Amino acid sequence: MRRSYSKWSSIALIAAIYLFATVVGIVVYFAVNRVPILDFTASSQPIIALLIADVVATIVVWAFGLLYENVSVYDPYWSVFPPIAFLLWAFYTGVWSLPVILLLVATWYWGWRLTRNWAITFKGIGHEDWRYTKYRSLHPALFHLINFFGLNMVPTLVVFAAMLPGLKLFEPGNLVYTLSAESGLYSVSGAVLILGFLVCLSSATIQLIADKQSHDFRAAHPGEVCNVGLWKHGRHPNYFGEIQFWWGIWIMYAALNGFDWFILGPIAMTALFLGISIPLMEQRQLANKPGYAAYRKQTRILI
């Protein structure tokens, strides 16, 4: 039976769960990173260890979701893990180059915005997101498999893939300290690096504005379709900002490393939203809001 807590006691409980998952992840990272049987190259071993730690931390959060019979325990993971992981990675590697500092500023701004929005909309540990309750009712026999893989592990792996370009900014070859024409901000690479940083900042700002516009509209016009501000120009400006954010991180990486397979990270993120998140939201809006069909015809899916 799902337990009932107040909103703030629920947030404190979630924070304790995530602190425990973080400690477990750190212990796993250092344990795996010292295992000689994992014979990776010197540069890839720490990344593999971080991935395993990420997976184990996700399993911890998933287990607490089972304990409290609420998949929504996992919801903050998306916005909490990247900023904390990048910051801990900076301390671990000792790399505080210009690209790393820009990455940290962008990621913590994005993470603050997304976690803040979660806290505003979070109703307590006794309330589960409508998407999860839908899966529970439609696929009761397969729900635990869907829960573990589809609702917890797949998002974790997609986010990690999208984080890889950011993690590669910590490598020694990506140290940009000077403003010289050869290696600094006045070079083409430096300009593209700043462009990626600005894309990240603008993405989180778009989401922040879209959140406020949506909250204000729903408070004043409950049950109606939000079609003001950014929502007038796109049906999912918040998802647009999320997709754009991860492309911004890749642009920062590409500025210093060029075009390679790391582009698969933001591509996977884009596919996740276009193939799963947006269609689910569209179905819900069409079912619950009579005016959404007309709004859908008049408004693009993204800005």
Side-chain angles (χ1 to χ4, degrees), residues 95-279:
V95 175
W96 297 93
S97 64
L98 177 61
V100 167
I101 292 172
L102 294 179
L103 174 70
L104 291 175
V105 170
T107 309
W108 276 84
Y109 175 44
W110 163 84
W112 164 80
R113 196 289 310 174
L114 191 51
T115 306
R116 172 181 177 272
N117 188 60
W118 166 81
I120 291 173
T121 57
F122 182 57
K123 298 178 181 179
I125 199 71
H127 180 268
E128 188 175 53
D129 187 274
W130 62 270
R131 283 163 285 218
Y132 309 143
T133 57
K134 179 179 180 179
Y135 285 123
R136 284 185 188 275
S137 61
L138 291 179
H139 311 285
L142 298 175
F143 178 73
H144 287 300
L145 285 176
I146 295 172
N147 177 20
F148 181 79
F149 291 104
L151 304 181
N152 284 261
M153 199 55 64
V154 168
T156 286
L157 296 177
V158 170
V159 169
F160 192 87
M163 286 176 60
L164 282 176
L167 290 169
K168 297 298 285 186
L169 290 176
F170 290 83
E171 293 190 350
N174 289 324
L175 304 186
V176 180
Y177 290 102
T178 70
L179 300 182
S180 67
E182 291 78 20
S183 60
L185 295 180
Y186 296 139
S187 66
V188 173
S189 295
V192 177
L193 175 72
I194 296 300
L195 172 62
F197 173 67
L198 294 177
V199 168
C200 290
L201 292 188
S202 65
S203 303
T205 302
I206 286 172
Q207 293 176 296
L208 186 64
I209 294 171
D211 291 342
K212 186 175 189 315
Q213 290 173 343
S214 176
H215 296 325
D216 291 347
F217 184 90
R218 283 186 294 177
H221 309 279
E224 296 184 23
V225 177
C226 180
N227 59 355
V228 298
L230 294 175
W231 300 86
K232 182 179 180 180
H233 303 286
R235 302 198 301 273
H236 304 281
N238 49 348
Y239 290 159
F240 170 79
E242 186 69 19
I243 293 170
Q244 181 179 287
F245 173 80
W246 295 103
W247 280 103
I249 289 182
W250 177 81
I251 291 172
M252 293 176 65
Y253 164 82
L256 305 174
N257 297 275
F259 188 96
D260 57 25
W261 68 272
F262 280 100
I263 196 174
L264 294 177
I267 288 177
M269 185 66 69
T270 305
L272 180 66
F273 278 95
L274 293 180
I276 299 177
S277 299
I278 291 177

Side-chain angles (χ1 to χ4, degrees), residues 280-297:
L280 276 174
M281 183 61 71
E282 294 269 291
Q283 293 173 12
R284 177 177 172 81
Q285 296 290 68
L286 286 169
N288 295 336
K289 296 184 178 180
Y292 195 79
Y295 170 70
R296 190 182 185 191
K297 292 180 180 179

